[in-house]
């Protein structure tokens, strides 16, 4: 089954690679219109998935990721329209030069070919990935989790209808519908047809892909994100940033998980933090050093357990600990971070610069929430993933990350002399 999907995807990607930007945008606009026109069917399918998730006892955080509402579906369709407004990178000349030999050489952006994405309870990924891949002339094979089975089926059906109505092969966007884990293992070895693999899920899925895939893997999306509150931070503004980073959407991978507070301001700041977090229903998981001061406020405070620093809460829970200085904060991030998104709150330019240079994460912020790590917020349109590695893409992966390049040489009956 996967062999046939791979062959069909490879054939489709060659056809997609011949399309111009206007042709690809027409397909995407039709896809957005059809998502809206078929919203009732998609939402009904999502309700089936939600009912099964609730019956299975899925966590509130994962249910939030899974849930589609009319507003969320409309936003997804609008994201597709936004992708149409983005500049198509395919065909762009990255650089070029005339060599002494007389050869005119240039590097030109081209599609990757076939992309495979494995993801869990995130139905928006289906549309985000499909739209970005189509915009860049790539075919895609999707493998969503069993939690999103009905939703993904409904969405992929709409995408394939849009493709066929545009005279393009439905195989440009395919989904593995059976939930068998063995199919994942087979997909990992489909390097004859698939050019890049992106797992979007937990640490276990990433480990499985890294250790077993014969396809180049881009990992990311696990966000143990930190904010360090420096000794001279504006404490009133800091509370607003911390609130936004933690509760705007707790289930997102760019939400705040651990707050590092300079000990010099702890006596004043932690009671304020407790009061503010109590007002937004956040439970504080306190280190031994932070516990006495946090208990002076009204928030729910529990002791940090072993391993809390290394996992995503994805809920209204926040780790809080004290650090002696910026170096201890940076060391904590190096040990427990996932190279996703980390921030410093400070009024010192020197401290900010030092933090930016020393923290080796895909996104580093000064006096801003970690919630900005997002393809839409970065002006990339949607994203296929947030890469926390360094090759070949890092941070939110937009259109450019779905391309590679080829060298093109132009001569005039040119021969190599040596």
């Amino acid at each position: 089954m996967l062999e046939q999907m791979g062959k069909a995807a490879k054939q489709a990607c060659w056809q997609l690679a011949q399309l111009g930007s206007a042709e690809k945008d027409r397909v995407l606009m039709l896809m957005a219109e059809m998502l809206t026109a078929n919203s009732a069917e998609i939402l009904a399918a999502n309700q089936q998935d939600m009912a099964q998730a609730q019956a299975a006892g899925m966590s509130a955080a994962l249910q939030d990721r899974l849930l589609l509402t009319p507003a969320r579906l409309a936003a997804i369709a609008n994201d597709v329209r936004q992708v149409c407004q983005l500049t198509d990178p395919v065909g762009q000349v990255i650089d070029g030069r005339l060599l002494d030999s007389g050869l005119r050489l240039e590097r030109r952006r081209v599609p990757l070919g076939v992309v495979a994405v494995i993801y869990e309870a995130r139905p928006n990924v289906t549309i985000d990935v499909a739209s970005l891949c189509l915009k860049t002339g790539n075919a895609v094979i999707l493998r969503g989790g069993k939690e999103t089975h009905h939703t993904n089926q409904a969405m992929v059906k709409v995408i394939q209808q849009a493709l066929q109505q545009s005279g393009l092969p439905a195989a440009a966007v395919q989904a593995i519908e059976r939930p068998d884990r063995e199919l994942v293992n087979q997909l990992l070895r489909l390097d004859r047809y698939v050019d890049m693999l992106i797992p979007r899920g937990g640490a276990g899925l990433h480990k499985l892909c890294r250790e077993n895939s014969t396809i180049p893997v881009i990992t990311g999306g696990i966000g143990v994100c930190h904010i360090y509150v420096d000794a001279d931070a504006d404490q009133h503004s800091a509370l607003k940033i911390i609130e936004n980073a933690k509760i705007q959407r707790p289930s997102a991978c760019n939400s705040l998980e651990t707050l590092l507070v300079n000990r010099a301001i702890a006596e004043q700041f932690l009671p304020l933090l407790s009061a503010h977090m109590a007002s937004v229903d956040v439970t504080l998981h306190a280190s031994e050093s932070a516990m006495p001061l946090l208990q002076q406020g009204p928030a729910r405070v529990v002791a940090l357990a072993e391993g809390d620093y290394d996992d995503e809460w994805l809920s209204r829970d926040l780790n809080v600990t004290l650090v002696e200085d910026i170096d201890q904060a940076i060391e904590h991030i190096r040990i427990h971070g996932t190279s996703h998104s980390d921030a410093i709150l400070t009024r010192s330019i020197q401290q900010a610069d030092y933090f930016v240079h020393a923290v080796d994460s895909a996104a580093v912020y000064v006096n801003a929430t970690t919630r900005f790590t997002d393809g839409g917020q970065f002006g990339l349109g949607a994203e296929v993933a947030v890469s926390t590695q360094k090759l070949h893409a890092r941070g939110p992966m937009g259109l450019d990350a779905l391309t590679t390049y080829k060298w093109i040489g132009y001569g005039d009956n040119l021969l190599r002399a040596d």
Side-chain angles (χ1 to χ4, degrees):
M1 174 184 119
L2 286 190
E3 184 85 7
Q4 292 304 314
M5 290 181 72
K7 286 181 181 179
K10 183 61 76 174
Q11 187 66 40
C13 83
W14 293 330
Q15 189 168 344
L16 293 175
Q18 308 309 312
L19 299 179
S21 297
E23 295 171 288
K24 290 185 284 189
D25 287 342
R26 280 195 290 272
V27 178
L28 292 172
M29 288 301 294
L30 178 59
M31 191 170 103
E33 292 168 9
M34 292 182 67
L35 284 170
T36 302
N38 291 275
S39 60
E41 292 85 349
I42 294 170
L43 292 172
N46 183 251
Q47 282 303 304
Q48 287 183 271
D49 288 330
M50 286 297 298
Q52 292 181 4
Q54 290 161 4
M58 179 186 286
S59 70
L62 287 179
Q63 285 191 44
D64 180 61
R65 287 182 174 183
L66 172 60
L67 177 64
L68 279 182
T69 63
R72 285 186 180 182
L73 185 56
I76 289 170
N78 282 332
D79 286 343
V80 177
R81 297 184 182 97
Q82 288 300 314
V83 171
C84 294
Q85 307 305 313
L86 299 174
T87 300
D88 182 0
V90 175
Q92 290 178 353
V93 176
I94 301 170
D95 53 34
R97 59 190 182 275
L98 181 64
L99 305 181
D100 292 341
S101 63
L103 185 69
R104 182 162 60 86
L105 192 65
E106 66 181 35
R107 287 192 300 154
R108 188 181 299 173
R109 289 196 182 277
V110 295
L112 283 168
V114 179
V115 177
V117 183
I118 304 173
Y119 54 107
E120 295 175 349
R122 300 170 185 259
N124 63 296
V125 173
T126 303
I127 303 301
D128 288 349
V129 171
S131 61
L132 290 176
C133 284
L134 291 174
K135 178 78 174 187
T136 48
N138 293 292
V140 63
I141 297 175
L142 302 165
R143 199 280 187 179
K146 62 181 184 297
E147 306 89 354
T148 55
H149 174 69
H150 296 97
T151 309
N152 286 343
Q153 271 192 320
M155 285 182 159
V156 171
K157 180 181 177 182
V158 168
I159 296 168
Q160 291 183 336
Q161 287 174 345
L163 286 164
Q164 289 175 320
Q165 287 186 29
S166 303
L168 295 172
V173 179
Q174 300 176 82
I176 300 172
E177 296 183 352
R178 284 165 43 199
D180 309 14
R181 176 55 68 97
E182 178 53 34
L183 291 178
V184 171
N185 293 326
Q186 292 179 30
L187 178 60
L188 299 183
R189 296 187 292 272
L190 211 62
D191 56 286
R192 183 176 176 185
Y193 306 109
V194 178
D195 298 286
M196 185 171 74
L197 174 70
I198 304 173
R200 294 187 57 166
L205 174 61
H206 287 203
K207 185 173 185 290
L208 174 73
C209 293
R210 284 195 305 269
E211 293 179 355
N212 296 280
S213 178
T214 58
I215 304 165
V217 178
I218 297 286
T219 58
I222 299 175
V224 179
C225 302
H226 302 77
I227 288 179
Y228 166 57
V229 186
D230 197 22
D232 70 347
D234 179 332
Q235 295 184 26
H236 179 71
S237 298
L239 292 172
K240 293 182 178 180
I241 292 172
I242 293 163
E243 175 187 342
N244 180 268
K246 181 68 262 183
I247 74 161
Q248 188 190 52
R249 193 164 184 189
S251 64
C253 61
N254 56 16
S255 65
L256 173 64
E257 302 294 11
T258 296
L259 185 68
L260 307 168
V261 179
N262 191 294
R263 189 181 293 274
I265 60 168
E267 189 170 343
Q268 178 186 6
F269 184 69
L270 290 195
L272 296 176
L273 176 72
S274 179
H276 198 89
M277 293 297 100
S279 71
V280 291
D281 195 30
V282 171
T283 298
L284 302 176
H285 296 253
S287 67
E288 186 176 347
S289 60
M291 178 71 77
L293 291 169
L294 288 174
Q295 288 177 325
Q296 294 178 19
R300 290 190 300 275
V301 183
V302 298
L304 266 162
E306 184 177 357
D308 283 353
Y309 285 137
D310 302 305
D311 291 326
E312 295 175 296
W313 284 112
L314 304 177
S315 59
R316 292 191 180 222
D317 293 85
L318 177 63
N319 301 325
V320 183
T321 191
L322 304 185
V323 292
E324 296 297 332
D325 53 27
I326 191 171
D327 287 310
Q328 193 173 5
I330 292 166
E331 182 65 16
H332 181 102
I333 293 169
R334 286 175 178 167
I335 293 170
H336 300 287
T338 54
S339 300
H340 194 292
S341 304
D342 299 291
I344 181 173
L345 309 183
T346 183
R347 286 179 287 191
S348 165
I349 295 174
Q350 291 79 12
Q351 292 285 83
D353 286 346
Y354 184 72
F355 187 89
V356 166
H357 288 296
V359 173
D360 187 25
S361 295
V364 183
Y365 298 95
V366 176
N367 297 326
T369 175
T370 56
R371 288 281 292 130
F372 280 111
T373 308
D374 172 84
Q377 293 294 317
F378 277 21
L380 304 177
E383 67 189 32
V384 290
V386 175
S387 170
T388 53
Q389 61 188 54
K390 299 180 181 180
L391 296 175
H392 76 288
R394 202 173 195 204
M397 294 176 59
L399 297 175
D400 285 358
L402 289 172
T403 65
T404 182
Y405 59 83
K406 65 170 64 171
W407 292 96
I408 302 172
Y410 294 94
D412 184 9
N413 301 317
L414 194 63
L415 304 178
R416 179 170 168 170
D418 57 357

